[in-house]
């Protein structure tokens, strides 16, 4: 089927672009109610070990579902294999069919980059170890990496934490090859098993079609995005040729917009926005350039900075109000005392009484969800 694009790009004000983005991320007054439907729409929940307030996947779900969200539901969805972990993301099990063709073509098709050739040669040099892992998992899996002996002939060389972490690195590559999969967790340790015992047996979607579908679903979850942007080591930020072309007032370059959102009212009276506290890894703010261009919001995650150089705090949460990102919440969940300690509320724009009340209601809701009492600053 031939898809004909509009003869002229859609022209969006920055307000309209922001409202499309907020609506696409399900951050309106009318909250979603089902965890699995939420993840299907967002396409994934990113995993991150930092839990200054709560693990990222739980915090993203709470931001949408509210305090009715039970983290146990996420655990149950993983145990039932309704969600599956792949590349540090929790994805709907049915979406694995969109990645299997690329797995089968690992390390890639066409002319390979130097790093792809290097990884291919390293795997070839350690083929006996790879086969041993497959045999052991086949006989006794799921197993942790500690339960798999390191029989690699050639060590993995890196300037980072993976240096000589041969089994861990080989397992990660075997996931990329579609041979093994993460079958669950034992505490914080991943459990590994044969992919054939973890992934659904759905028909594999050919690579080009799968890439198109992933782009379309990513744009549906973002609303408006760049066709091409900086590469991400975890999950793509751009959307290729999905949707339709658009230009955003005051922002250079061409964007892509999902036309489903152009049928929604975007006027100030009709927009049903609300206050929300967002994870630093939330997809509304994950692309810092897009966040600056559309929301005029300067933000960085500062937990890797020395304390004296932080502007907003170790794990500051972006604060959404309506279609604007209006500040940052510097807070910590003190599990020993059962307190949600709010160190500061940084205002990017002066808060009105209405904004202040709405933000504080969200803080109280966060505390209830965490089963903690909140300790607010006297002013912020």
């Amino acid at each position: 089927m031939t898809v004909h694009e509009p003869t002229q790009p859609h022209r969006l004000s920055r307000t309209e672009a922001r409202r499309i983005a907020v609506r696409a991320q399900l951050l309106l007054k009318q909250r979603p109610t089902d965890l699995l439907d939420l993840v299907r729409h967002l396409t994934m929940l990113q995993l991150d070990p930092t839990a200054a307030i709560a693990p990222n996947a739980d915090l993203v779900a709470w931001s949408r579902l509210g305090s009715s969200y039970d983290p146990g539901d996420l655990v149950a969805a993983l145990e039932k294999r309704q969600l599956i972990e792949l590349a540090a993301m929790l994805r709907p099990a049915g979406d694995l069919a969109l990645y299997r063709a690329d797995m089968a073509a690992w390390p890639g098709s066409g002319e390979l980059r130097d790093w792809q050739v290097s990884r291919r040669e390293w795997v070839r040099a350690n083929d006996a170890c790879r086969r041993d892992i497959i045999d052991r998992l086949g006989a006794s899996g799921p197993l942790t990496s500690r339960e798999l002996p390191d029989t690699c002939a050639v060590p993995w060389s890196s300037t980072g934490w993976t240096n000589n972490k041969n089994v861990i690195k080989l397992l990660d590559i075997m996931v990329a090859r579609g041979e093994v999969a993460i079958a669950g967790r034992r505490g914080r340790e991943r459990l590994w098993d044969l992919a054939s015992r973890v992934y659904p047996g759905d028909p594999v979607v050919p690579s080009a079609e799968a890439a198109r579908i992933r782009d379309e679903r990513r744009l549906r979850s973002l609303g408006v995005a760049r066709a091409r942007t900086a590469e991400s080591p975890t999950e793509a930020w751009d959307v290729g040729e999905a949707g339709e072309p658009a230009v955003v007032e005051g922002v250079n370059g061409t964007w892509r917009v999902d036309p489903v959102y152009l049928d929604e009212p975007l006027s100030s009276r009709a927009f049903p926005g609300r206050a929300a506290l967002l994870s630093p890894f939330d997809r509304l703010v994950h692309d810092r350039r897009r966040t600056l261009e559309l929301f005029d919001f300067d933000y960085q995650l500062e937990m890797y900075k020395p304390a004296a150089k932080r502007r907003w705090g170790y794990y500051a949460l972006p604060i959404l109000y309506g279609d604007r990102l209006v500040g940052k919440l510097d807070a910590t969940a003190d599990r020993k005392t059962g307190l949600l300690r709010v160190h500061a509320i940084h205002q990017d724009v002066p808060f009105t009484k209405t904004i202040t009340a709405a933000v504080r209601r969200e803080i109280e809701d966060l505390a209830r969800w965490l089963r903690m009492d909140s300790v607010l600053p006297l002013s912020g």
Side-chain angles (χ1 to χ4, degrees):
M1 181 179 69
T2 302
V3 177
H4 298 286
E5 292 196 344
T7 55
Q8 295 293 327
H10 297 286
R11 305 192 69 84
L12 303 172
S13 68
R14 284 212 282 179
T15 297
E16 290 170 330
R18 289 196 301 270
R19 291 178 176 180
I20 288 172
V22 171
R23 188 183 297 274
Q25 279 288 294
L26 305 182
L27 287 163
L28 302 180
K29 286 181 181 177
Q30 185 173 354
R31 295 174 182 264
T33 58
D34 183 82
L35 174 64
L36 292 178
D37 287 344
L38 172 69
V39 181
R40 290 187 193 102
H41 178 84
L42 297 180
T43 74
M44 55 82 194
L45 293 177
Q46 181 175 338
L47 293 172
D48 187 84
T50 308
I53 294 176
N56 176 70
D58 290 322
L59 195 52
V60 169
W62 168 80
S63 292
R64 275 80 178 166
L65 301 171
S67 57
S68 63
Y69 165 64
D70 183 352
D73 294 341
L74 186 60
V75 174
L78 288 165
E79 290 176 346
K80 295 175 183 176
R81 302 259 169 89
Q82 295 168 313
L83 298 177
I84 291 177
E85 181 177 342
L86 175 66
M89 306 287 172
L90 302 182
R91 307 175 191 274
D95 283 7
L96 268 294
L98 301 175
Y99 296 88
R100 299 302 298 273
D102 286 349
M103 290 175 177
W106 186 94
S109 56
E111 185 176 353
L112 300 180
R113 299 180 183 180
D114 290 345
W115 66 268
Q116 291 173 305
V117 173
S118 176
R119 292 189 179 188
R120 181 189 64 190
E121 296 307 311
W122 185 77
V123 172
R124 285 178 176 174
N126 291 301
D127 190 61
C129 183
R130 183 185 68 84
R131 291 179 180 275
D132 181 56
I133 289 174
I134 289 174
D135 290 343
R136 289 175 184 272
L137 292 179
S140 306
L143 298 172
T144 68
S145 61
R146 296 174 185 269
E147 296 169 308
L148 296 167
D150 182 356
T151 61
C152 287
V154 178
W156 176 261
S157 179
S158 168
T159 57
W161 78 273
T162 58
N163 187 58
N164 211 32
K165 301 283 187 179
N166 304 323
V167 172
I168 288 290
K169 194 60 192 179
L170 189 52
L171 284 166
D172 286 340
I173 291 176
M174 292 172 73
V175 169
R177 289 165 59 100
E179 296 174 314
V180 304
I182 299 170
R185 298 233 170 194
R186 184 184 298 160
R188 286 197 168 190
E189 286 192 274
R190 292 174 289 183
L191 288 169
W192 306 87
D193 206 346
L194 301 179
S196 60
R197 296 202 294 229
V198 177
Y199 296 159
D202 301 331
V204 174
V205 180
S207 182
E209 182 183 355
R212 176 184 60 78
I213 294 171
R214 293 197 304 267
D215 284 347
E216 289 173 351
R217 294 194 57 221
R218 191 178 306 116
L219 181 59
R220 180 63 54 90
S221 75
L222 295 173
V224 58
R226 296 275 188 186
R228 295 283 180 265
T229 188
E231 290 188 9
S232 168
T234 52
E235 185 76 2
W237 294 352
D238 53 30
V239 296
E241 299 306 308
E244 297 177 356
V247 293
V248 179
E249 180 185 7
V251 182
N252 293 330
T254 301
W255 297 68
R256 306 295 294 187
V257 62
D258 190 322
V260 71
Y261 299 112
L262 299 176
D263 296 331
E264 301 286 347
L266 297 171
S267 68
S268 58
R269 291 183 180 179
F271 186 69
R274 64 175 175 88
L277 306 176
L278 306 179
S279 163
F281 300 100
D282 196 289
R283 294 289 277 183
L284 188 70
V285 298
H286 73 290
D287 183 340
R288 307 302 193 218
R289 178 189 173 196
R290 174 178 180 262
T291 304
L292 186 61
E293 290 176 325
L294 297 186
F295 292 87
D296 195 25
F297 187 69
D298 181 18
Y299 180 75
Q300 292 179 351
L301 180 58
E302 298 183 310
M303 64 184 183
Y304 300 112
K305 288 185 176 182
K309 294 186 177 181
R310 294 175 191 149
R311 291 178 288 174
W312 308 304
Y314 175 82
Y315 197 77
L317 306 186
I319 301 172
L320 175 72
Y321 184 78
D323 63 16
R324 300 300 304 269
L325 290 163
V326 296
K328 294 99 175 172
L329 171 69
D330 180 11
T332 306
D334 187 339
R335 290 168 179 83
K336 290 184 178 179
T337 62
L339 296 175
L340 175 64
R341 297 186 181 276
V342 176
H343 308 296
I345 301 174
H346 301 282
Q347 300 181 18
D348 282 40
V349 298
F351 283 14
T352 63
K353 290 183 179 180
T354 302
I355 295 176
T356 298
V359 170
R360 296 213 168 193
R361 282 195 298 270
E362 284 298 297
I363 294 171
E364 294 296 341
D365 189 72
L366 176 58
R368 281 192 297 273
W369 175 63
L370 293 169
R371 298 180 181 179
M372 293 180 170
D373 293 324
S374 62
V375 179
L376 296 168
L378 295 177
S379 62

